[in-house]
Amino acid sequence: MSTTNRRLGLAVTATAVALVLAACGGGGFDDDGGSTDAATDSTATTDGGDSGTDEGSGSGLDILIASSGDAETAAVQDAVAAWSASSGVEASVRVASDLNQELAQGFAAGTPADIFYVSTDAFPGLAANGSIKAYFDELGNKADFYPTLVDSFTYDGTPYCAPKDFSTLALVINDDQWAAAGLTEADYPTDWASLKTVAEKLATGESTALSFGPEWQRIGTFMAQAGGTLVEDGAAVVDSPANTEALTYVKDLMSAGLVRYPADIGAGWGGEAFGTGAAAMTIEGNWIVGAMKANYPDVSWTAIELPSGAAGKGTLQFTNCWGIATDSDQQADAVELVEFLTSAEQQMAFANAFGVMPSISTVADEWKTAFPEQEAFLAGADYAQGVPPVQGIADVLSDFNSQLETLSSTDPATILTSVQGNLQAIL
């Protein structure tokens, strides 16, 4: 348990916007795919016997997670129990009913959990105010992590925490609608032109061709494919020609009736639009696999890498890290546990239990063998962009998403100019 009372309070409320924008990355993917912070009220305690703490009171490690469901909860409990038994260090797992709120309350009271999930948009604020320990370089397996994931948890040049798992976005295709349109595997789109061509064949009176959420967390893939991004060399580059080209392309697809947002076709998210057949294609992460199994088991689908834009391939990645509180008096034990939880064996155990993608490249081949139908998601690890580790980025993206809701009737340059100003203001 942590003891030192200090700092923040207000600063930690950055976590209040935290996992909302995690866009399903880093959480468990075993349920309906729409949320990573769905909670249960179960609490598991694993007693490892005598305390083996290096620094603290030996009262045991407190681990706070936001679970996607029973499978993720059980998997984390089992892993912590196994480590506790071998290390002799007591450890307990709590499942937050509201992770953001419970983290904020813990930090404000000076009693945060020792280890907890941290989203990419919450990370910059926690790093800036000194709430989380920069322990990444202490890990024996630090060289195994995908560099793009480590970048997501690097602040002022210092890598802080170990990525827990991750997902990227891919193009998911309804096989039956694809075949009904006279398309074959040879027609899988590889660039924007071929995406529009197949979309024109898939659009029918009963179904739209492509649907995805009105947010940077989906439309940002087109920006990446055009060569755009949000931040470059410490400066905002939202209003770049590449980003303008990307939003213009998406708007043109909307104007042609080839892309519609889920809410416009009676769905809550892209996966639902796809599963119900309201859309023949969607752009989602591999959390959609659990949703399809649970809710639409009769729908046959194929996931492929997203088509390239003018600058080549592009996608977005979503992840959480294992945060360790600076206030924890058992930091050495916490680092040891995180190293165990991110080991090759344990990451594959998590993948098998609740469908996540390991954050280390050393098990990539093993994972692809186990989940060949999801290979396109892992392929994106080589070129994916993440949420820029900038304090206040969550608010900027929230505003960006609000403006993207009206993309079909708004000049793309107007939206990008507005977001450019907002982002530059916090850099």
Side-chain angles (χ1 to χ4, degrees), residues 54-400:
D54 298 302
E55 304 173 5
S57 63
S59 58
L61 288 173
D62 177 25
I63 299 116
L64 183 65
I65 68 172
S67 176
S68 62
D70 293 343
E72 180 172 0
T73 300
V76 175
Q77 289 174 339
D78 290 347
V80 171
W83 175 83
S84 188
S86 64
S87 67
V89 179
E90 294 181 1
S92 62
V93 177
R94 289 188 292 129
V95 180
S97 58
D98 186 328
L99 179 65
N100 304 326
Q101 181 181 41
E102 292 180 38
L103 276 177
Q105 291 173 339
F107 280 116
T111 56
D114 297 288
I115 302 174
F116 42 86
Y117 288 2
V118 176
S119 67
T120 49
D121 48 335
F123 162 72
L126 296 175
N129 63 35
S131 296
I132 59 174
K133 173 182 172 66
Y135 69 85
F136 183 79
D137 283 336
E138 300 177 28
L139 296 171
N141 61 342
K142 66 178 183 180
D144 296 342
F145 292 88
Y146 289 102
T148 55
L149 298 180
V150 177
D151 290 344
S152 291
F153 299 108
T154 296
Y155 187 79
D156 279 349
T158 301
Y160 270 68
C161 48
K164 186 172 69 69
D165 45 47
F166 79 113
S167 183
T168 68
L169 300 175
L171 183 68
V172 188
I173 296 168
N174 183 306
D175 294 336
D176 291 336
Q177 288 177 282
W178 192 261
L183 299 168
T184 69
E185 292 184 10
D187 298 308
Y188 286 156
T190 57
D191 54 29
W192 287 4
S194 54
L195 176 62
K196 183 177 181 181
T197 297
V198 298
E200 290 171 339
K201 294 182 178 180
L202 288 167
T204 67
E206 298 178 352
S207 175
T208 192
L210 175 62
S211 182
F212 46 77
E215 54 190 350
W216 170 82
Q217 288 85 348
R218 299 295 180 276
I219 296 175
T221 59
F222 294 97
M223 295 162 61
Q225 293 153 16
T229 188
L230 297 175
V231 178
E232 190 170 271
D233 297 329
V237 290
V238 183
D239 60 352
S240 67
N243 288 339
T244 302
E245 179 186 8
L247 264 60
T248 299
Y249 173 74
V250 174
K251 181 177 179 178
D252 288 347
L253 292 180
M254 290 178 165
S255 298
L258 304 178
V259 167
R260 300 179 71 184
Y261 289 148
D264 296 330
I265 49 178
W269 65 294
E272 182 181 0
F274 180 77
T276 59
M281 299 185 291
T282 189
I283 296 174
E284 288 293 339
N286 73 319
W287 51 78
I288 196 174
V289 175
M292 296 306 294
K293 288 180 180 177
N295 303 318
Y296 312 104
D298 296 330
V299 176
S300 177
W301 56 270
T302 298
I304 64 172
E305 291 182 76
L306 289 166
S308 298
K313 294 181 179 179
T315 189
L316 301 180
Q317 67 185 22
F318 304 100
T319 182
N320 287 336
C321 81
W322 290 102
I324 295 178
T326 304
D327 281 346
S328 172
D329 60 5
Q330 294 183 245
Q331 293 182 9
D333 289 333
V335 172
E336 182 181 320
L337 174 54
V338 169
E339 187 169 313
F340 173 80
L341 295 172
T342 56
S343 65
E345 179 179 1
Q346 195 54 58
Q347 293 226 32
M348 282 305 300
F350 288 153
N352 287 314
F354 55 98
V356 291
M357 295 200 311
S359 58
I360 53 176
S361 60
T362 48
V363 293
D365 289 341
E366 183 179 356
W367 189 87
K368 286 187 287 187
T369 298
F371 307 101
E373 75 282 5
Q374 300 183 48
E375 187 170 343
F377 297 104
L378 190 59
D382 293 333
Y383 50 84
Q385 294 184 11
V387 178
V390 177
Q391 190 172 5
I393 190 68
D395 291 337
V396 172
L397 292 180
S398 178
D399 173 73
F400 194 1

